[in-house]
Amino acid sequence: GARSLERVMRLDARGATALAAADDGTLFVAVETGIVHVDVASRAATPVKTADALTRIESLAWRAGALFGVQRVSESSLIIRVPLEASGTRALPRQILAASPSATVGALARDAFYYLSDATTIRRLPLR
């Protein structure tokens, strides 16, 4: 029944492009420099440490300890899975699940990641 939006916090990062909620208290935000872990209760934003460059993320979703998303690399888009340690502030190596020559965005469903491989084609990537 709320009639206004609540401001959670100010994010001290440039170029936010995507947001995913792991639960009611944890958010992940794709920014220019990578991914930021946000603890909503403490309003703390911590860069996720990773060996992979997690920049140019255009879409982001959370499922069972991992982030799924679309990452723009050179002239193509990669559908990626980024497993995280339990703390959520350290990523394991990125897994490339698919590639598309066109810019894409995606959405996570219960058993699949759906993405636009071009302006008129939706593709389904089954998840195990």
Side-chain angles (χ1 to χ4, degrees):
R3 294 182 182 224
S4 64
L5 298 176
E6 175 188 353
R7 181 177 179 176
V8 175
M9 66 180 282
R10 183 155 184 79
L11 188 62
D12 189 24
R14 293 178 44 144
T17 56
L19 173 77
D23 55 40
D24 288 341
T26 306
L27 303 173
F28 292 94
V29 184
V31 298
E32 256 180 34
T33 56
I35 296 177
V36 176
H37 171 273
V38 175
D39 181 309
V40 175
S42 68
R43 291 182 161 81
T46 307
V48 173
K49 294 179 182 167
T50 179
D52 299 309
L54 295 177
T55 57
R56 300 183 70 198
I57 304 285
E58 297 176 345
S59 212
L60 201 58
W62 170 265
R63 178 180 181 212
L67 290 166
F68 290 81
V70 178
Q71 182 178 28
R72 201 71 186 135
V73 177
S74 298
E75 296 302 318
S76 66
S77 293
L78 304 177
I79 311 305
I80 60 170
R81 178 180 183 272
V82 181
L84 297 170
E85 291 184 353
S87 68
T89 59
R90 184 176 299 277
L92 300 174
R94 168 191 73 181
Q95 300 166 340
I96 298 171
L97 305 176
S100 174
S102 302
T104 63
V105 295
L108 189 61
R110 184 176 45 171
D111 64 346
F113 188 80
Y114 293 88
Y115 64 98
L116 292 171
S117 61
D118 58 52
T120 61
T121 306
I122 299 171
R123 296 197 183 274
R124 180 179 183 272
L125 182 63
L127 301 176
R128 297 179 189 116

